[in-house]
Amino acid sequence: MSLGCKKLVNSVEHCVDENLSGLIAVHPGLSLVKGHRIVVRTDIEEVRRQGKVTLLSGGGSGHEPLHAGYVGQGMLSAAVAGSIFTSPPPQSILTGIRTIAKGNQAGSLIIVKNYTGDRINFGLAVERAHFEGLKVDMVVIGEDCAFSSHNKTAGRRGLCGTILVHKIAGALAEEGWSLEEVTQCARDVASNMGTIGLALGPCSVPGTGPLFQLQEDEIELGLGVHGEAGVKRMKILTAKETVKLMIDHMINPANSTHLKLKSGDKVACMINNLGGLSVLEMNIIANEVITYLEEKEVHVDRAYCGSFITSLEMPGVSITLLHLNDTIKRCLDAPTSAPAWLTPYLPAGQTDRITSTPIDPLYQPKQEESESSAAVSPEEASHIYSILQNVCEQLIASEGHLNGLDKESGDGDCGSTIARGAQNIKKELLQKDSKGWPFNHPQALSLAIGGIAENCMGGCSGGLYSLFFTSAAQAFQKEVSSQTFAMAMYQGMKAIQRYGGAEPGDRTMLDSLHAAYTTFSSRLAQLSSPKDAFAAAVRAAEQAAEATTGMKAKAGRASYVSADLLTRPDPGATAVAIWLRAVLEKL
């Protein structure tokens, strides 16, 4: 089996049954019907006695959490599972119907996705249930907006919108609506929504290879959840471009399956992960979907994002839009115990989704607050400006070299991380007056650099440099001198040790920092000139960085790498030596 088809299962033959067993093991409010792949609420007898409409849905497995994940109060009463991507047999469906409908005068609604096998098998079970005198009705959901053909086909496929029908019909049943009313509302909901899907690659059924092939740089629009061909293949796009493509296709009046959408409409939006996208990607897509709809002046009053119906591990996404009214809103908001339903987090007392605006930080240091710290002359401030400018230029120029060193012990981005910090220092600080704030107040400058490192660099390096400069700033409160610069190095170094957990000799940036500080402070104590003392400190830092070659790492990501593989200097220690040398060049 190829790498892309590996599955963590016990056996292909029993994977569906063991999946269902795992579901009810985690959620004891659900039970299995003996001898069948039927998941039912454990309190189903009480539900029947209450005289409320009960709901059943089902279909092939491989689409988890559909269908069994939506069994619970306020949604389905039971779900019937088939084999992977295969409709369950009529006898199992009939057993499920009997479980929820026998003795229930209110009746039961069967919700089916529009696939030929499902329609036939569920339809046959419903007919047999009628023959047995059970009060049952059936709704077929087909809301796919992929196809533009006006020719007679198997019809629109049932996709993620089916879950919205489960939720709304389940809420109405809890409210005590009749079978006829619940059925009609379910049909109205199905006719007022649309779904469009897109895949970046295939999935594979346990025991087989990929269901189809897409090139590495290809995506497919309108792909079905069983791997059925879509309407268009194209080169991969950005998330923003992809969302625009999907929604534009969904609402295009030239398509016979389009969803009518106009300015002022209120909709629920479901952004569904088909199985293989990361949460990071899903949140990016959700933001683009809501932003694009709002640009069209469509009100997204309800939004849901997550894995609602999957196609095993298929990397892809679907977007479902449903027109809203007060009844549908109430039903979507109604509580449910179904384990797979995801409830968005809203502010207390708010029901309609509104994109929140960023709030101001609770505290931002102001220029006047930092002006109480020790200041330097305009000429000295200009000198500090030129030093910082040289530091940034040297670090940016060293990006490739530092990345190359980092490939031995990390993920190869040390240089990029530090260069990103330098670029943001240039953008946020070096555009200011070279003789004014914050260059005339070293404490403010140190705090500003620490803030940029924290907010813009990212990674471990960003945190460590933020610690260094934030702690170093304390030394410049009352005076600015060569001694306070030494104290700043000491305080910054100790903060890294305290919170980073490393010590000199552990093959980290501390090796260069410690060598520089001890040399600088000792030379000052020997009454060397500050420039000579700092030149000696830079040489010591460079020697310490070089000495990390082959050193056993005891902290950081390199500590997980065999010492035999560490044949070049540590990138963090090298970076310190680079910026210290850049400072010396302008002294």
Side-chain angles (χ1 to χ4, degrees), residues 28-106:
L30 305 177
S31 293
L32 279 168
V33 175
K34 288 181 181 179
H36 295 276
R37 291 170 173 171
I38 302 170
V39 174
V40 64
R41 290 172 55 174
T42 55
D43 62 347
I44 189 61
E45 291 185 11
E46 176 60 26
V47 175
R48 289 198 304 264
R49 281 197 297 267
Q50 290 175 355
K52 294 180 179 179
V53 171
T54 52
L55 279 70
L56 178 141
S57 188
S61 297
H63 303 303
E64 289 74 18
L66 195 75
H67 300 80
Y70 299 104
V71 176
Q73 181 182 8
M75 289 192 79
L76 299 177
S77 306
V80 187
S83 299
I84 302 292
F85 296 170
T86 304
S87 180
Q91 187 57 47
S92 284
I93 299 170
L94 180 58
T95 300
I97 294 173
R98 289 170 180 155
T99 304
I100 68 167
K102 207 154 184 90
N104 182 9
Q105 299 303 312

Side-chain angles (χ1 to χ4, degrees), residues 287-306:
N287 179 60
E288 295 296 346
V289 169
I290 293 172
T291 299
Y292 188 52
L293 290 171
E294 287 180 337
E295 288 173 357
K296 291 181 169 294
E297 298 182 334
V298 173
H299 303 283
V300 184
D301 286 355
R302 300 291 184 278
Y304 310 91
C305 180

Side-chain angles (χ1 to χ4, degrees), residues 231-461:
V231 293
K232 184 190 301 184
R233 285 193 177 187
M234 68 210 79
K235 298 299 182 183
I236 193 167
L237 305 169
T238 65
K240 186 183 189 74
E241 293 167 334
T242 299
V243 165
K244 183 179 186 301
L245 171 77
M246 294 173 73
I247 294 178
D248 286 352
H249 186 92
M250 182 192 296
I251 64 176
N252 184 358
N255 294 337
S256 60
T257 58
H258 76 280
L259 176 71
K260 294 180 180 178
L261 192 70
K262 64 181 185 304
S263 171
D265 283 349
K266 297 180 178 181
V267 299
C269 176
M270 184 168 269
I271 302 104
N272 173 60
N273 188 345
L274 286 170
L277 294 187
S278 65
V279 175
L280 181 146
E281 292 166 285
M282 288 301 297
N283 284 334
I284 292 172
I285 293 167
N287 179 60
E288 295 296 346
V289 169
I290 293 172
T291 299
Y292 188 52
L293 290 171
E294 287 180 337
E295 288 173 357
K296 291 181 169 294
E297 298 182 334
V298 173
H299 303 283
V300 184
D301 286 355
R302 300 291 184 278
Y304 310 91
C305 180
S307 297
F308 296 95
I309 169 174
T310 64
S311 184
L312 293 169
E313 81 280 21
M314 183 186 290
V317 64
S318 67
I319 301 169
T320 300
L321 299 179
L322 166 65
H323 287 285
L324 292 174
N325 58 35
D326 290 342
T327 298
I328 293 175
K329 283 185 180 183
R330 185 181 75 250
C331 292
L332 291 175
D333 297 343
T336 176
S337 61
W341 180 256
L342 302 176
T343 302
Y345 176 52
L346 295 172
Q350 182 176 315
T351 54
D352 287 352
R353 189 215 64 84
I354 300 173
T355 301
S356 62
T357 55
I359 62 174
D360 292 328
L362 293 178
Y363 171 73
Q364 284 184 307
K366 296 182 176 59
Q367 178 174 338
E368 56 268 23
E369 294 175 2
S370 63
E371 287 179 345
S372 62
S373 63
V376 298
S377 68
E379 293 74 21
E380 290 172 316
S382 182
H383 194 188
I384 292 172
Y385 179 97
S386 66
I387 289 173
L388 186 60
Q389 189 173 46
N390 192 47
V391 167
C392 291
E393 290 172 353
Q394 295 300 322
L395 289 176
I396 292 170
S398 302
E399 178 178 358
H401 174 56
L402 292 174
N403 281 344
L405 295 178
D406 194 34
K407 287 181 180 178
E408 277 194 356
S409 57
D411 50 11
D413 67 348
C414 177
S416 298
T417 300
I418 291 174
R420 184 163 57 247
Q423 289 161 350
N424 279 278
I425 289 172
K426 289 181 66 175
K427 177 182 176 182
E428 297 187 29
L429 295 180
L430 296 180
Q431 305 299 323
K432 299 180 184 294
D433 178 8
S434 65
K435 298 181 180 180
W437 188 88
F439 301 101
N440 58 354
H441 286 271
Q443 183 178 76
L445 181 61
S446 188
L447 288 172
I449 294 173
I452 291 170
E454 176 184 352
N455 296 322
C456 302
M457 283 179 66
C460 184
S461 295

Side-chain angles (χ1 to χ4, degrees), residues 196-208:
I196 185 72
L198 179 138
L200 286 73
C203 64
S204 60
V205 173
T208 71

